[in-house]
Amino acid sequence: MNEWTEAIWLGVSALITAMVLSFATMLGASVRHVSRIQQEEINAIEIVKEHRKYNKYDGTSVYPQDIVSLVLETRGNPAVWVDDEDNTNVNYIYMWDTTLPKENWQASYFTSLLPLTGSYESSLVKDANGAVLRFEFRRE
């Protein structure tokens, strides 16, 4: 008689253990699924933020002060290329990226290179994934 009760308790314990393990597995799968959805939303938000941040430099007219602000804000990542000549040839004289020496990352350095008046036509260069590689500015 005692053997039957032990067998029943063992069976019930095995069923409860199986249910707990199944629940833990389902909970883990749910957490992974929710985390994946949350990461996709975070990525989409970052893409929209980058678009809003850099859209004002895509096909618009900007002033030298805007270029200086952008260079100091991005610190060369993405790079900033400036064509300061008043002709139809594209010749980027200034190419500022992360290789610029640290002592040159000052507003006075950039404002001394660019004229105080005038405007520039801006454009963005993106890679195949849509990430911004560099900003290009041509004198108008």
Side-chain angles (χ1 to χ4, degrees):
M1 179 90 166
N2 203 11
E3 295 169 356
W4 281 97
T5 55
E6 284 183 26
I8 291 173
W9 277 112
L10 283 174
V12 169
S13 296
L15 284 173
I16 290 174
T17 304
M19 287 175 33
V20 168
L21 289 175
S22 298
F23 177 73
T25 304
M26 289 179 6
L27 184 63
S30 297
V31 166
R32 281 192 305 275
H33 180 69
V34 168
S35 295
R36 190 175 329 124
I37 291 172
Q38 186 177 17
Q39 187 61 45
E40 288 173 1
E41 289 178 0
I42 289 171
N43 292 345
I45 289 170
E46 290 301 319
I47 289 169
V48 169
K49 281 183 181 178
E50 181 182 46
H51 176 73
R52 287 182 181 167
K53 185 176 183 180
Y54 296 144
N55 189 41
K56 60 185 171 186
Y57 300 109
D58 193 15
T60 59
S61 181
V62 297
Y63 297 103
Q65 297 87 347
D66 299 325
I67 297 173
V68 172
S69 297
L70 177 68
V71 170
L72 292 174
E73 178 184 339
T74 62
R75 292 283 183 183
N77 188 17
V80 178
W81 290 10
V82 178
D83 179 8
D84 198 29
E85 296 180 358
D86 258 345
N87 57 24
T88 57
N89 298 334
V90 178
N91 182 21
Y92 293 102
I93 299 171
Y94 305 117
M95 297 179 187
W96 297 309
D97 56 14
T98 55
T99 61
L100 189 68
K102 287 184 179 182
E103 59 269 5
N104 291 347
W105 289 108
Q106 298 175 9
S108 59
Y109 171 75
F110 298 109
T111 53
S112 68
L113 297 175
L114 298 175
L116 296 177
T117 59
S119 61
Y120 293 83
E121 179 185 339
S122 63
S123 63
L124 296 177
V125 176
K126 298 180 180 182
D127 66 5
N129 293 323
V132 177
L133 291 177
R134 68 177 176 268
F135 302 93
E136 294 181 349
F137 299 96
R138 294 191 62 216
R139 186 87 182 258
E140 291 182 333

